[in-house]
Each structure stands twice: as structure tokens, then as C-alpha cells.
Amino acid sequence: MDPKRELTSVDLAALVGELGAYEGAKVDKAYLYGDDLVRLKMRDFDRGRVELLLEVGETKRAHTVAPERVPDAPGRPPQFAMMLRNRLSGADFAGVEQYEFDRILEFVFERDDGTTRIIVELFGQGNVAVTDGEYEVIDCLETVRLKSRTVVPGSRYEFPDSRTNPLTVSREAFDREMEDSDTDVVRTLATQLNFGGLYAEEICTRAGVEKAMDIAEADEDVYDRIYGAIERLALDLRNGNFDPRLYVADEDDGDEGSDDDEDVDEDSSPDRVVDATPFPLEEHVELASEPYDSFLAALDDYFYRLELAEDEEETDPTAQRPDFEEEIAKYERIIEQQQGAIEGFEQEADALREQAELLYAEYGLVDDILSTVQEARAQDRPWDEIEERFAEGADRGIAAAEAVVDVDGSEGIVTVEIDGERIDLVAQRGVEQNADRLYTEAKRVEEKKEGALAAIEDTRDDLEEAKARQERWEAEDAADEGDEDEDDESEERDWLSEPSVPIRENEPWFDRFRWFHTSDGYLVIGGRNADQNEELVKKYLEPGDKVLHTQAHGGPVTVLKATDPSEASSSDIELPESSIEEAAQFAVSYSSVWKDGRYAGDVYAVDSDQVTKTPESGEYLEKGGFAVRGDRTYYRDTPVGVAVGIQCEPYTRVIGGPPSAIEGQAETTIDLEPGRYAQADAAKRLYRRFRERFEDESFVRKIASPDRIQHFMPPGGSRISEE
């Protein structure tokens, strides 16, 4: 069983009550990690520090966590986090609601200057939308533009279309939803009633209804039992009748009775977590479980242990090579079990058909038995008396009475024995109807056999795939060993197709500025604002450096470094013209020229000793400004141009700058030009493109979040060049 990565609608219904206990807590600060995890740090009068996590990526969750388990604060708060801090700092948590029975939570925060709503979508691609009190979107992690709904800054937030809420559905509406279905009971509950797979199966089990029963065969009694089970579940959720459980599965996938059990290492890996639920589930009865005082605590532990297990897999040297042998053995065990099940279905179907044929073979005998019961019941004779009459008849040697071995009045079933076979008869039906029932049941068992045959083919495919992966791994491993014996002249690795790209982080001193390395290897740095422009001229400008600036107002101070600050300055280094031209393109691209939607602008270059912060008499220099003495070298009509790429060696990081420089340093790049997409939206488009290009999508998520990509994008609107 794969571990749960998304909260269900039932989970959210249970969470709302427990999260409501924190109403009145004050928000201290907000954080954004990557592009999908929001953290709200709050203070509760009774409980002290409260940490709320909202994650909407591959893992979708919303719950409180123990303070010692929160991730370290990111170094540079992105725009989304700053917006949240501006709106929520000092605000009171006013409550949380689940939208209908959907996987959407709406958190409400109140402050003297207004209301803020955080709407968390825990379905599909996931999203966090921040709105004001009237549901106007202030900002969102993902913009949504569909025919059915729109979620973009400046528009009114639109919830998805309403669906049936099974917790409040009337009996009449429930019957209509069931009768409109053309599939089996469990799929109807999962889709029409919106329970999802797990809780649809749980409802069937609690109601004592066969999951695979066709809707056409479900009668009023089946509807009564299912609706009753739903009502009891809804009552537990409304009243908070929880008994939370965290479920774990044996790492051996339940392979009990192994001859090697006594040799298991006491230090072997702990059981893996697979689910956390607000109350015990009959569907998880085969799993070991741990009780918790609250559902929030169970979820905190669940996701914490899930993350630990995944981290161990990534870092454990023994996990570098998958255990193909165990995986292959597991599939072989499953195939053996499936083959046994198929044989069992065949035997069961044959036995049912044989019983039906026996009824026809002894038609007169069976008809006498059923007629006797039906006549007695028509005269309101109790079942005990009917059973006694059959016993008396058997004593007198009456063949029909001797065939009766049991009478169950509670179910209206008479059990007979014919030619050594025991057969259950529905007393109120005739011989033909009872035989048809047995034939139908045999057909249903045959269908189970067909399903098992399809399943065994799928398992065989999985087995063959595992064997093929083992062969590929061993072939690659052998090739890698051969490569180690060769000189360093081996071909470069194709990082895009690597299943796992190792993270090698490095945060240089200039990372907080705009920067890139020219195709000749020289560092270019530019200011992001007036403060950084001031700092570059005062602190980092050295003899031998070039300073570039656009003629247009509103551009960064751009410094082409002749040396690193840790090295001795040198004024006799002749900087290549190609590097100066790339620095000029950098200067114009990150200026107001791009922001205004223009495709070229004039740039001038001067030596470092021509730049001064001391104005002439009567002059005034604004913060970030500087004065230039002497002649300037102009680069007329310098075209704008920016490429953003992902570098895999020597470090793994996002880089950006002039395409001629970046394309030679990155594993893959995307060229940009001025366009209509806001900086944040364009960054998300690039992020999705990069994820498509790398086999290891988790690598892109870790080092190239939209926030990191945005760090290298020009101000103003952009678009991908080939779009």
C-alpha cells in the first residue's frame, strides 16, 4: 500500500473542528518554501506557539506541526510571503471552514484594517489563493484560467462547481444519485457521492454491502444500510467523535510466516507509515495502528515520519541500488497468490452451477420443500413450528423432510442436502428462481476470475518491468565501473535524463545581486535597487573594472569585474570585448527598456576610475546615483536578451543573463523576450518547462522553484521566445 500524500474530504471535515480550537490566535509571520508550502507562525493564548503548514504540491496537506519540526526559515522571503506578512501580521485567526464536501479549506483572519481569507485548494494541481473580505484575489500561487472558473489577482475568487455533499444529502437525493449510476456500488459512492476510493469502500464494509454489487441489483434494503452507514459517519464528524489512528505497514508487505523471521535484524528499518485517519477504519484492519489524542497530532507525526523515511532513502548508501531481488520476489509471491485465487474462483463457480443443476435434478423434492414452507408461512405459522414439522417428517421417513438440514427464520433460508451437497434455498422463491440465483452467483464469481486474470497479467507486466530495470541498472553499473578506470576524457553526463541529480549547493557572495559570468569567465554584477547600486560603487568597484549603464533612466549599476574581491586588484587586465558586449546586453535587459516593452537601448561603458560619488559644486546625486568624468564608450541599439537556465555542475543552481553566456554554462536554458506575462506568472511557466525537461522532477523542485527563477528575470512582463 502506497502512503497517503493527499488529505481526503473526510480528513478535512475532521480537521475543521480541531483547527477551530485555535480561533483567536494571533499571526506573527508568514513564510513560503519553494512554490507550494506556506507556513503561518501564530501565538495562541492557551497553547503558546502554533505552527500551521499548508502544502499544495505533490503532497497536499493542512495541519499544525510541533514547533521543533518546522523547516528553517528561507533566507530571502519572496513576494508572496511578504504580501502575507503585510496582510496578516498581528491578525486574529477567526476560523476555518471546508467548502461543501470539497477538498478546499477557507481560513479567515481579522484585523482592524480588514479581513483576509486564505483559500487552500488540496486537489488537482493545488493552490493557495489570498483574498480580501469580499473574495477579491490579492495573489495566488497558481493562476487558474478555465472555462468553468478563474483565479487570478484582481478578480473575484471562484469556487469549483458544487457537487453532492454526502454528509448532508437527503434520502431522496441519495436515492436519485444511486439510481442515476450505471456502475457498481463502490464506484457510485466514490464518484457520484464524492467519497473517494477509500471511504467508499469503508462505507460498503460498514454497511455489510458487497462493493462490486451492480447498482441494478441494489434494492431498498441495500440503500437503507448504505445510507445508515453514511449518517453514522456524518454524525461522528459533526460531533467530533474521533479516535485518531496512524497506520503502518510492515516493510515486508505482510509476508507472514517466513522461514527467516527468526533471523530478522533488530536494527532493521521501522515499519513505514501509510495513513492517518480520524477514526479506525475497517478497511485498514490488516494494518498495525497507533492511537493519538488528536487528529492534528496524528497528521503531524504521519507526515514527519513519511518525510524522514524518504530522506533516509535518498541518503542511505544501501538505498542507492534498489532491492530488485526483493521486488521480483514480491511480484512472484503475488502471482502465486493470484493463481490460487483463480483456481478458487473456478472451483466456487463450478460448485454453484452443480448446485443449480441438482435443484433441477431433484425438482419434485425441492418443490415439495418450498411449497410446504410457503403454505405454512401463508398461514402465519412460526419458523420454529415449521422446523419441528420437518423434523417429525424426517422421523417418519418422508424424503422431502429428510433432505432439510436447517431452517433459518431470521434470513428466510432453508438449507437442504442433495447428493452430499448442502444448498441454501430462499424459502419465498420457487425452484427456478433459486436455481437462477445460483447460476447468477456463479457468473459473478466467473467475473471475479476474469478480474483476477487481468490482475495477474498486470502483475506479470510489473515483474517483467522490474527484471528489465534490474538488467539496465546492472548494465549501467558495469559501464560506470568501466568509466572509473578511464581518464577524465569520458563524455559529459546527460543530466536531463538522469533519474537522480545530486544537489551541490553554493551561495556565492554576489548571489543577492543580479549576476552572471560572461562566456570568457568574468563576473558581472548589477544592483537590484538604489541601495545595491550604492553598495556596488562604494564597496565592490575596483581598479580595472568596467562600469556600464543604460542611457535610459531606471537601470542597474552594472560592474564587469576584472578580479574577484578576494584577489588583489589589477588595473592592467584587458577585458575582452565579447565580455563587455555581454555586460552591455545585461545592463539594458535588466533596465526600464525591458519593462517598457522595447527590444533595444543604448548603453555606455567607462573605467572604474571615471566613476565618483562626489558631485561637482551645485550638483546633487540621488541614492544609487554616481557621476562620470571623462569620455564614454557607447554601445548603440544593444538588443535586450535574457536566458534562464539550470546549471548541474560544478554546482546545481539557477543562472540567468545574456543567452550567449548562459547557454554554455547551463544544462538547459529558456530564452525570454519582453511580453505580457507578469514576472511571477512567467517564472511559473519556466518552472513547468524545466520540470518537463528533467527526468528527475524533484531536482527541479528543490533547486529551481519559481521564486529562484524569478530572481534572474528582468523587471516587467516577459514571454518565452518561441511561444
Short mmCIF file of all heavy atoms in Angstrom, two decimals, residues 67-124:
data_model
loop_
_atom_site.label_atom_id
_atom_site.label_comp_id
_atom_site.label_asym_id
_atom_site.label_seq_id
_atom_site.Cartn_x
_atom_site.Cartn_y
_atom_site.Cartn_z
N PRO A 67 6.51 22.85 16.96
CA PRO A 67 7.47 23.90 16.61
C PRO A 67 8.87 23.38 16.26
O PRO A 67 9.53 23.93 15.39
CB PRO A 67 7.50 24.78 17.86
CG PRO A 67 6.15 24.59 18.48
CD PRO A 67 5.80 23.15 18.21
N GLU A 68 9.30 22.31 16.94
CA GLU A 68 10.64 21.81 16.66
C GLU A 68 10.74 21.10 15.31
O GLU A 68 11.83 20.76 14.86
CB GLU A 68 11.09 20.84 17.77
CG GLU A 68 10.27 19.58 17.92
CD GLU A 68 9.08 19.75 18.86
OE1 GLU A 68 8.75 20.92 19.19
OE2 GLU A 68 8.50 18.73 19.27
N ARG A 69 9.61 20.89 14.64
CA ARG A 69 9.62 20.19 13.36
C ARG A 69 9.49 21.12 12.16
O ARG A 69 9.51 20.65 11.02
CB ARG A 69 8.49 19.15 13.32
CG ARG A 69 8.72 17.97 14.25
CD ARG A 69 7.55 17.00 14.19
NE ARG A 69 7.83 15.82 14.99
CZ ARG A 69 6.95 14.86 15.24
NH1 ARG A 69 5.73 14.96 14.73
NH2 ARG A 69 7.26 13.82 15.97
N VAL A 70 9.31 22.41 12.38
CA VAL A 70 9.13 23.31 11.23
C VAL A 70 10.46 23.47 10.51
O VAL A 70 11.53 23.46 11.13
CB VAL A 70 8.58 24.69 11.67
CG1 VAL A 70 7.22 24.55 12.29
CG2 VAL A 70 9.55 25.39 12.60
N PRO A 71 10.43 23.61 9.21
CA PRO A 71 11.69 23.81 8.47
C PRO A 71 12.29 25.17 8.79
O PRO A 71 11.58 26.11 9.18
CB PRO A 71 11.24 23.74 7.00
CG PRO A 71 9.77 24.06 7.01
CD PRO A 71 9.25 23.56 8.32
N ASP A 72 13.60 25.27 8.63
CA ASP A 72 14.28 26.55 8.86
C ASP A 72 13.72 27.60 7.91
O ASP A 72 13.39 27.31 6.75
CB ASP A 72 15.79 26.41 8.64
CG ASP A 72 16.42 25.52 9.69
OD1 ASP A 72 15.84 25.39 10.78
OD2 ASP A 72 17.48 24.93 9.41
N ALA A 73 13.64 28.84 8.39
CA ALA A 73 13.10 29.92 7.56
C ALA A 73 14.00 30.14 6.35
O ALA A 73 15.22 30.13 6.46
CB ALA A 73 13.01 31.20 8.38
N PRO A 74 13.38 30.29 5.15
CA PRO A 74 14.20 30.57 3.96
C PRO A 74 14.89 31.92 4.09
O PRO A 74 14.40 32.84 4.75
CB PRO A 74 13.17 30.57 2.82
CG PRO A 74 11.85 30.81 3.47
CD PRO A 74 11.94 30.25 4.85
N GLY A 75 16.04 32.03 3.46
CA GLY A 75 16.86 33.23 3.62
C GLY A 75 16.26 34.49 3.03
O GLY A 75 16.41 35.58 3.57
N ARG A 76 15.56 34.36 1.92
CA ARG A 76 15.05 35.54 1.23
C ARG A 76 13.55 35.40 1.03
O ARG A 76 13.11 34.61 0.20
CB ARG A 76 15.74 35.69 -0.12
CG ARG A 76 15.35 36.93 -0.90
CD ARG A 76 15.96 36.93 -2.29
NE ARG A 76 17.41 36.93 -2.25
CZ ARG A 76 18.16 35.88 -2.52
NH1 ARG A 76 17.59 34.73 -2.85
NH2 ARG A 76 19.48 35.94 -2.48
N PRO A 77 12.73 36.12 1.80
CA PRO A 77 11.27 35.96 1.64
C PRO A 77 10.82 36.44 0.27
O PRO A 77 11.11 37.57 -0.13
CB PRO A 77 10.69 36.83 2.76
CG PRO A 77 11.75 37.81 3.09
CD PRO A 77 13.05 37.12 2.84
N PRO A 78 10.11 35.60 -0.50
CA PRO A 78 9.62 36.02 -1.82
C PRO A 78 8.45 36.98 -1.68
O PRO A 78 7.93 37.23 -0.58
CB PRO A 78 9.18 34.70 -2.46
CG PRO A 78 8.85 33.82 -1.30
CD PRO A 78 9.79 34.21 -0.20
N GLN A 79 8.02 37.49 -2.81
CA GLN A 79 6.95 38.49 -2.82
C GLN A 79 5.67 37.97 -2.18
O GLN A 79 5.00 38.69 -1.44
CB GLN A 79 6.67 38.92 -4.27
CG GLN A 79 5.57 39.96 -4.42
CD GLN A 79 5.32 40.31 -5.88
OE1 GLN A 79 6.09 39.91 -6.75
NE2 GLN A 79 4.26 41.02 -6.14
N PHE A 80 5.32 36.71 -2.44
CA PHE A 80 4.09 36.14 -1.89
C PHE A 80 4.15 36.14 -0.36
O PHE A 80 3.16 36.48 0.31
CB PHE A 80 3.89 34.72 -2.42
CG PHE A 80 2.55 34.12 -2.11
CD1 PHE A 80 1.46 34.36 -2.92
CD2 PHE A 80 2.39 33.31 -1.00
CE1 PHE A 80 0.21 33.81 -2.62
CE2 PHE A 80 1.17 32.75 -0.70
CZ PHE A 80 0.07 33.00 -1.51
N ALA A 81 5.29 35.76 0.20
CA ALA A 81 5.44 35.73 1.66
C ALA A 81 5.37 37.14 2.23
O ALA A 81 4.76 37.37 3.29
CB ALA A 81 6.75 35.05 2.04
N MET A 82 5.99 38.11 1.56
CA MET A 82 5.95 39.48 2.05
C MET A 82 4.51 40.02 2.02
O MET A 82 4.09 40.74 2.94
CB MET A 82 6.86 40.37 1.19
CG MET A 82 8.34 40.04 1.33
SD MET A 82 8.90 40.14 3.06
CE MET A 82 8.61 41.89 3.40
N MET A 83 3.75 39.67 0.97
CA MET A 83 2.36 40.09 0.90
C MET A 83 1.57 39.51 2.08
O MET A 83 0.77 40.20 2.73
CB MET A 83 1.76 39.64 -0.43
CG MET A 83 0.27 39.92 -0.62
SD MET A 83 -0.79 38.60 0.07
CE MET A 83 -0.25 37.19 -0.88
N LEU A 84 1.79 38.22 2.40
CA LEU A 84 1.10 37.59 3.52
C LEU A 84 1.46 38.28 4.83
O LEU A 84 0.60 38.52 5.68
CB LEU A 84 1.46 36.12 3.60
CG LEU A 84 0.73 35.17 2.64
CD1 LEU A 84 1.28 33.75 2.79
CD2 LEU A 84 -0.77 35.16 2.91
N ARG A 85 2.73 38.62 5.01
CA ARG A 85 3.15 39.28 6.25
C ARG A 85 2.49 40.65 6.38
O ARG A 85 2.04 41.04 7.47
CB ARG A 85 4.67 39.42 6.29
CG ARG A 85 5.39 38.09 6.38
CD ARG A 85 6.91 38.25 6.41
NE ARG A 85 7.59 36.97 6.37
CZ ARG A 85 8.90 36.80 6.44
NH1 ARG A 85 9.68 37.88 6.55
NH2 ARG A 85 9.43 35.60 6.40
N ASN A 86 2.42 41.37 5.28
CA ASN A 86 1.81 42.70 5.31
C ASN A 86 0.33 42.63 5.69
O ASN A 86 -0.20 43.49 6.39
CB ASN A 86 1.96 43.40 3.96
CG ASN A 86 3.39 43.79 3.68
OD1 ASN A 86 4.19 43.96 4.61
ND2 ASN A 86 3.75 43.91 2.41
N ARG A 87 -0.35 41.59 5.23
CA ARG A 87 -1.79 41.48 5.47
C ARG A 87 -2.14 40.78 6.78
O ARG A 87 -3.21 41.01 7.34
CB ARG A 87 -2.47 40.74 4.32
CG ARG A 87 -2.46 41.49 2.99
CD ARG A 87 -3.42 40.85 2.01
NE ARG A 87 -4.80 40.97 2.44
CZ ARG A 87 -5.60 42.00 2.17
NH1 ARG A 87 -5.13 43.03 1.47
NH2 ARG A 87 -6.84 42.02 2.60
N LEU A 88 -1.25 39.89 7.25
CA LEU A 88 -1.62 39.05 8.39
C LEU A 88 -0.90 39.37 9.69
O LEU A 88 -1.32 38.89 10.75
CB LEU A 88 -1.35 37.57 8.04
CG LEU A 88 -2.17 36.97 6.89
CD1 LEU A 88 -1.82 35.50 6.73
CD2 LEU A 88 -3.66 37.11 7.16
N SER A 89 0.17 40.11 9.64
CA SER A 89 0.92 40.38 10.88
C SER A 89 0.00 41.01 11.92
O SER A 89 -0.60 42.06 11.70
CB SER A 89 2.10 41.31 10.58
OG SER A 89 2.83 41.55 11.76
N GLY A 90 -0.13 40.34 13.07
CA GLY A 90 -0.98 40.83 14.15
C GLY A 90 -2.45 40.51 13.99
O GLY A 90 -3.27 40.86 14.86
N ALA A 91 -2.83 39.83 12.91
CA ALA A 91 -4.24 39.49 12.67
C ALA A 91 -4.67 38.34 13.57
O ALA A 91 -3.87 37.51 13.99
CB ALA A 91 -4.47 39.13 11.21
N ASP A 92 -5.98 38.28 13.86
CA ASP A 92 -6.55 37.19 14.65
C ASP A 92 -7.07 36.10 13.72
O ASP A 92 -7.71 36.39 12.71
CB ASP A 92 -7.71 37.69 15.51
CG ASP A 92 -7.25 38.66 16.58
OD1 ASP A 92 -6.13 38.48 17.10
OD2 ASP A 92 -8.01 39.59 16.91
N PHE A 93 -6.79 34.85 14.08
CA PHE A 93 -7.35 33.73 13.34
C PHE A 93 -8.82 33.61 13.74
O PHE A 93 -9.15 33.32 14.88
CB PHE A 93 -6.58 32.45 13.68
CG PHE A 93 -7.18 31.20 13.12
CD1 PHE A 93 -7.64 31.15 11.82
CD2 PHE A 93 -7.26 30.04 13.89
CE1 PHE A 93 -8.19 30.00 11.30
CE2 PHE A 93 -7.81 28.89 13.39
CZ PHE A 93 -8.28 28.86 12.09
N ALA A 94 -9.72 33.84 12.76
CA ALA A 94 -11.16 33.90 13.06
C ALA A 94 -11.88 32.60 12.77
O ALA A 94 -13.07 32.48 13.10
CB ALA A 94 -11.80 35.03 12.25
N GLY A 95 -11.22 31.63 12.17
CA GLY A 95 -11.89 30.35 11.95
C GLY A 95 -11.54 29.74 10.61
O GLY A 95 -10.89 30.36 9.76
N VAL A 96 -11.99 28.50 10.39
CA VAL A 96 -11.73 27.77 9.16
C VAL A 96 -12.96 26.96 8.81
O VAL A 96 -13.65 26.44 9.70
CB VAL A 96 -10.49 26.86 9.30
CG1 VAL A 96 -10.66 25.86 10.43
CG2 VAL A 96 -10.19 26.14 7.99
N GLU A 97 -13.26 26.87 7.51
CA GLU A 97 -14.39 26.09 7.04
C GLU A 97 -13.97 25.25 5.84
O GLU A 97 -13.07 25.64 5.09
CB GLU A 97 -15.56 26.99 6.63
CG GLU A 97 -16.22 27.73 7.77
CD GLU A 97 -17.41 28.56 7.30
OE1 GLU A 97 -17.65 28.59 6.07
OE2 GLU A 97 -18.08 29.16 8.14
N GLN A 98 -14.65 24.12 5.68
CA GLN A 98 -14.48 23.32 4.47
C GLN A 98 -15.56 23.73 3.48
O GLN A 98 -16.73 23.86 3.85
CB GLN A 98 -14.62 21.83 4.79
CG GLN A 98 -14.47 20.91 3.59
CD GLN A 98 -14.70 19.45 3.95
OE1 GLN A 98 -15.30 19.14 4.99
NE2 GLN A 98 -14.23 18.54 3.10
N TYR A 99 -15.16 23.97 2.23
CA TYR A 99 -16.14 24.36 1.23
C TYR A 99 -16.92 23.11 0.82
O TYR A 99 -16.37 22.19 0.22
CB TYR A 99 -15.46 24.98 0.01
CG TYR A 99 -16.42 25.29 -1.12
CD1 TYR A 99 -17.37 26.29 -0.99
CD2 TYR A 99 -16.37 24.58 -2.31
CE1 TYR A 99 -18.26 26.57 -2.02
CE2 TYR A 99 -17.24 24.85 -3.35
CZ TYR A 99 -18.19 25.85 -3.19
OH TYR A 99 -19.07 26.12 -4.19
N GLU A 100 -18.22 23.10 1.17
CA GLU A 100 -19.10 21.96 0.91
C GLU A 100 -18.37 20.69 1.36
O GLU A 100 -17.91 20.60 2.48
CB GLU A 100 -19.52 21.95 -0.57
CG GLU A 100 -20.36 23.19 -0.92
CD GLU A 100 -20.86 23.22 -2.34
OE1 GLU A 100 -20.38 22.42 -3.17
OE2 GLU A 100 -21.75 24.04 -2.62
N PHE A 101 -18.27 19.68 0.49
CA PHE A 101 -17.51 18.48 0.86
C PHE A 101 -16.29 18.35 -0.04
O PHE A 101 -15.75 17.28 -0.25
CB PHE A 101 -18.41 17.24 0.73
CG PHE A 101 -17.82 15.99 1.36
CD1 PHE A 101 -17.57 15.93 2.72
CD2 PHE A 101 -17.54 14.87 0.59
CE1 PHE A 101 -17.03 14.79 3.30
CE2 PHE A 101 -17.00 13.72 1.16
CZ PHE A 101 -16.75 13.68 2.52
N ASP A 102 -15.85 19.50 -0.58
CA ASP A 102 -14.71 19.50 -1.48
C ASP A 102 -13.42 19.56 -0.68
O ASP A 102 -13.43 19.85 0.53
CB ASP A 102 -14.80 20.70 -2.43
CG ASP A 102 -14.30 20.36 -3.82
OD1 ASP A 102 -13.41 19.49 -3.92
OD2 ASP A 102 -14.80 20.94 -4.80
N ARG A 103 -12.31 19.32 -1.36
CA ARG A 103 -11.00 19.40 -0.70
C ARG A 103 -10.49 20.84 -0.75
O ARG A 103 -9.44 21.13 -1.33
CB ARG A 103 -10.04 18.41 -1.35
CG ARG A 103 -10.33 16.97 -0.96
CD ARG A 103 -9.36 16.00 -1.56
NE ARG A 103 -9.52 15.88 -3.00
CZ ARG A 103 -8.62 15.34 -3.81
NH1 ARG A 103 -7.48 14.90 -3.33
NH2 ARG A 103 -8.85 15.26 -5.10
N ILE A 104 -11.25 21.72 -0.14
CA ILE A 104 -10.93 23.14 -0.08
C ILE A 104 -11.16 23.62 1.34
O ILE A 104 -12.22 23.39 1.92
CB ILE A 104 -11.81 23.96 -1.05
CG1 ILE A 104 -11.58 23.52 -2.50
CG2 ILE A 104 -11.53 25.45 -0.90
CD1 ILE A 104 -12.46 24.23 -3.50
N LEU A 105 -10.16 24.30 1.90
CA LEU A 105 -10.29 24.92 3.23
C LEU A 105 -10.19 26.43 3.08
O LEU A 105 -9.37 26.94 2.31
CB LEU A 105 -9.19 24.42 4.17
CG LEU A 105 -9.26 22.97 4.62
CD1 LEU A 105 -8.09 22.65 5.54
CD2 LEU A 105 -10.58 22.66 5.33
N GLU A 106 -11.02 27.13 3.83
CA GLU A 106 -11.01 28.59 3.81
C GLU A 106 -10.68 29.09 5.23
O GLU A 106 -11.46 28.93 6.16
CB GLU A 106 -12.36 29.14 3.37
CG GLU A 106 -12.43 30.65 3.35
CD GLU A 106 -13.79 31.18 2.92
OE1 GLU A 106 -14.54 30.42 2.26
OE2 GLU A 106 -14.10 32.35 3.24
N PHE A 107 -9.48 29.67 5.37
CA PHE A 107 -9.03 30.22 6.64
C PHE A 107 -9.34 31.72 6.65
O PHE A 107 -9.03 32.43 5.69
CB PHE A 107 -7.52 30.01 6.83
CG PHE A 107 -7.12 28.57 6.98
CD1 PHE A 107 -6.91 27.76 5.86
CD2 PHE A 107 -6.95 28.00 8.23
CE1 PHE A 107 -6.54 26.44 5.98
CE2 PHE A 107 -6.57 26.67 8.37
CZ PHE A 107 -6.38 25.89 7.24
N VAL A 108 -9.90 32.21 7.75
CA VAL A 108 -10.30 33.62 7.85
C VAL A 108 -9.49 34.30 8.94
O VAL A 108 -9.36 33.77 10.06
CB VAL A 108 -11.81 33.75 8.15
CG1 VAL A 108 -12.21 35.22 8.19
CG2 VAL A 108 -12.63 33.00 7.10
N PHE A 109 -8.92 35.47 8.62
CA PHE A 109 -8.13 36.24 9.57
C PHE A 109 -8.69 37.66 9.63
O PHE A 109 -9.00 38.26 8.59
CB PHE A 109 -6.65 36.27 9.15
CG PHE A 109 -6.03 34.91 9.10
CD1 PHE A 109 -6.09 34.12 7.95
CD2 PHE A 109 -5.38 34.39 10.22
CE1 PHE A 109 -5.52 32.87 7.91
CE2 PHE A 109 -4.80 33.13 10.18
CZ PHE A 109 -4.88 32.36 9.03
N GLU A 110 -8.82 38.18 10.84
CA GLU A 110 -9.40 39.51 11.05
C GLU A 110 -8.36 40.46 11.64
O GLU A 110 -7.58 40.08 12.53
CB GLU A 110 -10.60 39.43 12.00
CG GLU A 110 -11.74 38.54 11.52
CD GLU A 110 -12.57 39.21 10.43
OE1 GLU A 110 -12.26 40.37 10.08
OE2 GLU A 110 -13.52 38.58 9.94
N ARG A 111 -8.36 41.67 11.11
CA ARG A 111 -7.52 42.74 11.65
C ARG A 111 -8.32 44.03 11.55
O ARG A 111 -9.29 44.10 10.79
CB ARG A 111 -6.21 42.83 10.86
CG ARG A 111 -5.05 43.45 11.62
CD ARG A 111 -3.73 43.25 10.92
NE ARG A 111 -3.67 43.83 9.58
CZ ARG A 111 -2.61 43.82 8.80
NH1 ARG A 111 -1.49 43.22 9.21
NH2 ARG A 111 -2.63 44.37 7.60
N ASP A 112 -7.95 45.05 12.29
CA ASP A 112 -8.72 46.29 12.30
C ASP A 112 -8.90 46.86 10.90
O ASP A 112 -9.94 47.48 10.60
CB ASP A 112 -8.04 47.34 13.20
CG ASP A 112 -8.13 46.96 14.67
OD1 ASP A 112 -8.98 46.10 15.00
OD2 ASP A 112 -7.36 47.51 15.47
N ASP A 113 -7.91 46.65 10.03
CA ASP A 113 -7.99 47.24 8.70
C ASP A 113 -8.66 46.33 7.67
O ASP A 113 -8.67 46.63 6.48
CB ASP A 113 -6.60 47.64 8.19
CG ASP A 113 -5.63 46.46 8.17
OD1 ASP A 113 -6.00 45.38 8.66
OD2 ASP A 113 -4.52 46.63 7.66
N GLY A 114 -9.20 45.18 8.11
CA GLY A 114 -9.95 44.36 7.17
C GLY A 114 -9.79 42.87 7.39
O GLY A 114 -9.10 42.41 8.31
N THR A 115 -10.47 42.13 6.54
CA THR A 115 -10.49 40.67 6.59
C THR A 115 -9.63 40.08 5.47
O THR A 115 -9.63 40.59 4.36
CB THR A 115 -11.93 40.14 6.44
OG1 THR A 115 -12.73 40.64 7.51
CG2 THR A 115 -11.98 38.62 6.44
N THR A 116 -8.90 39.03 5.79
CA THR A 116 -8.13 38.30 4.79
C THR A 116 -8.57 36.84 4.82
O THR A 116 -8.67 36.24 5.89
CB THR A 116 -6.62 38.38 5.06
OG1 THR A 116 -6.19 39.75 4.98
CG2 THR A 116 -5.83 37.56 4.04
N ARG A 117 -8.83 36.29 3.64
CA ARG A 117 -9.20 34.88 3.52
C ARG A 117 -8.10 34.15 2.76
O ARG A 117 -7.68 34.59 1.69
CB ARG A 117 -10.53 34.72 2.78
CG ARG A 117 -11.69 35.48 3.40
CD ARG A 117 -12.95 35.35 2.56
NE ARG A 117 -14.02 36.21 3.04
CZ ARG A 117 -14.87 35.87 3.99
NH1 ARG A 117 -14.78 34.67 4.54
NH2 ARG A 117 -15.81 36.71 4.41
N ILE A 118 -7.64 33.04 3.32
CA ILE A 118 -6.68 32.18 2.63
C ILE A 118 -7.42 30.91 2.22
O ILE A 118 -7.87 30.15 3.08
CB ILE A 118 -5.47 31.85 3.51
CG1 ILE A 118 -4.70 33.12 3.87
CG2 ILE A 118 -4.55 30.85 2.81
CD1 ILE A 118 -3.47 32.87 4.72
N ILE A 119 -7.57 30.72 0.92
CA ILE A 119 -8.31 29.58 0.40
C ILE A 119 -7.30 28.56 -0.13
O ILE A 119 -6.52 28.85 -1.03
CB ILE A 119 -9.28 30.02 -0.70
CG1 ILE A 119 -10.24 31.08 -0.14
CG2 ILE A 119 -10.06 28.83 -1.24
CD1 ILE A 119 -11.12 31.73 -1.17
N VAL A 120 -7.32 27.39 0.47
CA VAL A 120 -6.33 26.35 0.17
C VAL A 120 -7.01 25.24 -0.63
O VAL A 120 -7.93 24.58 -0.13
CB VAL A 120 -5.73 25.77 1.47
CG1 VAL A 120 -4.62 24.77 1.15
CG2 VAL A 120 -5.20 26.89 2.36
N GLU A 121 -6.58 25.05 -1.87
CA GLU A 121 -7.13 24.02 -2.74
C GLU A 121 -6.23 22.79 -2.67
O GLU A 121 -5.08 22.83 -3.12
CB GLU A 121 -7.23 24.52 -4.17
CG GLU A 121 -8.12 25.74 -4.34
CD GLU A 121 -8.16 26.25 -5.77
OE1 GLU A 121 -7.44 25.66 -6.63
OE2 GLU A 121 -8.88 27.22 -6.04
N LEU A 122 -6.75 21.71 -2.11
CA LEU A 122 -5.96 20.50 -1.92
C LEU A 122 -6.38 19.41 -2.91
O LEU A 122 -6.48 18.24 -2.57
CB LEU A 122 -6.13 20.00 -0.48
CG LEU A 122 -5.61 20.98 0.58
CD1 LEU A 122 -6.13 20.62 1.96
CD2 LEU A 122 -4.09 20.99 0.59
N PHE A 123 -6.63 19.82 -4.14
CA PHE A 123 -6.98 18.89 -5.21
C PHE A 123 -6.26 19.32 -6.48
O PHE A 123 -5.75 20.43 -6.58
CB PHE A 123 -8.50 18.88 -5.45
CG PHE A 123 -9.04 20.20 -5.93
CD1 PHE A 123 -9.12 20.48 -7.29
CD2 PHE A 123 -9.46 21.18 -5.03
CE1 PHE A 123 -9.60 21.71 -7.73
CE2 PHE A 123 -9.94 22.40 -5.47
CZ PHE A 123 -10.01 22.66 -6.82
N GLY A 124 -6.23 18.43 -7.48
CA GLY A 124 -5.61 18.77 -8.76
C GLY A 124 -4.18 19.25 -8.61
O GLY A 124 -3.35 18.62 -7.95
#
